[in-house]
Amino acid sequence: MSAPHNQPDKQPHNQPLNQPDSLWRALAAASPDASAALGTPLTRDLDVEVAVIGAGYSGLAAAYALQKRGVECVVLDANPVGWGASGRNGGVVSSKFRLSFPAIHALHGLDTAKRMHRLAHDGVRVVESLVDEFGLERARFEHTGSLRCAHTERAFASIRAEADWVRTTLGDTSMTVQSRDEVTRETGSTGFVGGVLSADAGTILPLEYVRGLARGIARRGVPIHESTPVLEMRRAPGDTRVTLRTPDGTVRAKQVIVATNAYSDLTPATSPYQRELVPFRSAMIATERLPAELDARLMVERRSYTETRRMMKWFRKVDGRMLFGGRDAFGKEGQTTGFDALQRAMIALFPELADLRVAYRWSGYVGMTFNSLPHVGRSDDATTFCLGYNGAGVAMASLLGQHAAALALGETPELSLLAAPGLRPVPFHSLRAPGVRLVAAWYQFLDAVGA
Ligand SMILES: Cc1cc2nc3c(=O)[nH]c(=O)nc-3n(C[C@H](O)[C@H](O)[C@H](O)COP(=O)(O)OP(=O)(O)OC[C@H]3O[C@@H](n4cnc5c(N)ncnc54)[C@H](O)[C@@H]3O)c2cc1C
């Protein structure tokens, strides 16, 4: 029934892989420059103002912000552009944090809630403008909104209260409540009791987006070096520059931006940044094309859809296929764990899909943080980092990459609660894998009993 999942999620730094065998890779294969490398490995020594490590949304957005200010920079990635989460994700462009705005208000007050709300929506504006500036039609960004579907009456009451609060307190009218019938009509599933539509959200083809960004900044003269893992970062006493060692060349830079997120442990040079995070394996499946009758009936508004279970699933329709994702793919790299469970969850919501073949399945790591918010800050006077998007990084990494560039240049962008005073390793980090499994099992239990 299912396609093989034979690509490990991470690999030794000296054996770069192509993108995982995903729907995104298949769709990108139709592009005229599909097989073109977007950068060459570094084979000489360079001196630059700023070196950016990581060629996902964070790193490329940072590099573009630097290029626009006329600052000389270079992007280094151990793998091809977008090989990390940026080329694997669900392509949901959202204007929210994992921590809700009422929760932010309760914890930090109204002024902070307003600033965080602005930052969340700024993320979507940044995606729109990057798509526009680089002419990324192939990324198919659609501002169609995102519908959060409630799996119980209790969950429905909670998301309704949140939408009311956002409207009355923040004056944001982009969130509207949908009845059970409306959600059923729109999704084609009877599994939900109602929902809340966030209009300021959309969908994108994630791999086309990240490759388009790379093409755009390369055209503007920023060198991108793929297959170039940073093996060591050091600064001799008294030296104002940091030296980055890669297999066949070094980069000396006044400032370094670490944009390696949940893949930071690829080499010891960046692995301290992994200790800021609890990496969570997240999986996706895509079916074969839906029969015409189902295609006309399911997800007719072409939005993205999430649900209110703690172990949330999300879905959208792409290329006439159902794309279904979830965050409970436990197990180690390359294991098939989770895909069958995902298919069962999809069929529970959409029984008509029971006989449909799963054509693609792949997974990647999201970087969760202890406070459920992204972190951007400086780890010393020459190094800036941005990470921890908690599974919602398409828009936020595009924004925070730009803010990381500003920080590296000594500017003071508005970061509100996202400003990190330095690296703050997750306590008991070595216990994170069993910890994640324990918490996830507890959440699955609560979801199963409808609590
Ligand atoms: C399955 C899945 C589904 C998701 N769905 C969504 C979604 O629908 N919507 C949403 O908003 N977010 C989603 N996310 C999260 C989103 O993809 C990420 O938050 C975002 O892509 C992070 O981008 P990034 O540039 O920070 O990191 P990445 O894209 O992960 O890039 C990090 C890069 O750093 C490189 N690297 C690491 N270490 C080194 C080193 N030492 N030297 C050189 N290079 C190095 C890696 O090769 C990698 O290319 C999902 C994530 C996954 C995995």
Side-chain angles (χ1 to χ4, degrees), residues 49 74 106 155 159 167 180 187-188 192 232 350 401 420 437 442:
E49 290 288 309
V74 63
I159 61 173
R167 190 176 52 253
R180 178 194 290 263
T187 59
F192 303 111
E232 188 188 26
F350 299 95
R437 277 196 292 276
W442 174 239

Side-chain angles (χ1 to χ4, degrees), residues 119-429:
L119 281 166
H121 289 267
D122 283 353
V124 182
R125 300 291 81 74
V126 167
V127 174
E128 278 171 350
S129 69
L130 289 171
V131 164
D132 216 42
E133 285 169 54
F134 290 122
L136 305 183
E137 291 79 21
R138 290 208 312 253
R140 291 193 231 156
F141 173 61
E142 292 192 290
H143 196 238
T144 43
S146 177
L147 182 59
R148 189 149 180 229
C149 306
H151 72 295
T152 61
E153 288 295 347
R154 192 163 143 184
F156 189 25
S158 157
I159 61 173
R160 263 194 332 247
E162 182 180 341
D164 284 349
W165 187 88
V166 167
R167 190 176 52 253
T168 51
T169 315
L170 301 180
D172 175 355
T173 53
S174 67
M175 286 168 92
T176 47
V177 175
Q178 289 205 356
S179 67
R180 178 194 290 263
D181 285 351
E182 286 170 314
V183 173
T184 303
R185 201 173 322 118
E186 175 168 341
T187 59
S189 171
T190 54
F192 303 111
V193 302
V196 167
L197 172 65
S198 298
D200 194 17
T203 58
I204 201 160
L205 298 186
L207 181 58
E208 289 286 1
Y209 175 48
V210 70
R211 283 178 60 86
L213 292 180
R215 259 186 244 108
I217 67 167
R219 265 201 310 270
R220 284 161 169 78
V222 177
I224 299 173
H225 293 289
E226 296 179 300
S227 307
T228 303
V230 174
L231 304 174
E232 188 188 26
M233 272 196 271
R234 73 186 140 75
R235 183 154 58 147
D239 196 345
T240 53
R241 296 199 166 231
V242 182
T243 301
L244 308 185
R245 185 171 63 80
T246 77
D248 298 306
T250 58
V251 177
R252 279 170 55 75
K254 282 188 187 154
Q255 291 288 324
V256 177
I257 296 176
V258 180
T260 49
N261 200 33
Y263 289 88
S264 298
D265 61 348
L266 287 188
T267 77
T270 46
S271 58
Y273 296 87
Q274 191 85 353
R275 291 197 276 277
E276 279 270 299
L277 302 169
V278 178
F280 219 102
R281 190 165 160 230
S282 188
M284 313 224 45
I285 56 176
T287 65
E288 63 183 320
R289 290 216 170 83
L290 305 176
E293 179 274 325
L294 274 181
D295 190 22
R297 194 156 55 78
L298 302 186
M299 289 169 279
V300 285
E301 302 291 344
R302 299 193 321 280
R303 305 189 214 277
S304 63
Y305 300 87
T306 58
E307 50 152 40
T308 44
R309 285 183 175 82
R310 286 175 185 78
M311 294 304 286
M312 182 189 76
K313 307 286 184 295
W314 66 90
F315 43 97
R316 60 181 279 207
K317 210 167 55 176
V318 185
D319 193 34
R321 305 162 190 274
M322 167 70 100
L323 185 67
F324 201 87
R327 216 165 285 159
D328 38 5
F330 314 125
K332 289 203 173 11
E333 311 156 5
Q335 288 180 346
T336 59
T337 335
F339 294 112
D340 294 340
L342 215 46
Q343 190 175 6
R344 281 195 299 277
M346 175 183 78
I347 293 168
L349 287 175
F350 299 95
E352 308 93 316
L353 303 185
D355 296 327
L356 232 55
R357 192 175 62 85
V358 170
Y360 300 95
R361 47 193 214 168
W362 69 97
S363 67
Y365 286 93
V366 298
M368 312 299 276
T369 57
F370 244 44
N371 68 354
S372 299
L373 293 171
H375 299 174
V376 52
R378 306 193 65 128
S379 43
D380 60 43
D381 62 347
T383 320
T384 305
F385 63 93
C386 54
L387 43 70
Y389 305 103
N390 289 275
V394 177
M396 211 22 74
S398 306
L399 174 73
L400 293 193
Q402 298 192 348
H403 287 343
L407 273 184
L409 298 179
E411 298 169 17
T412 49
E414 165 67 89
L415 298 171
S416 191
L417 297 176
L418 310 183
L423 279 181
R424 289 171 299 185
V426 168
F428 307 110
H429 191 260

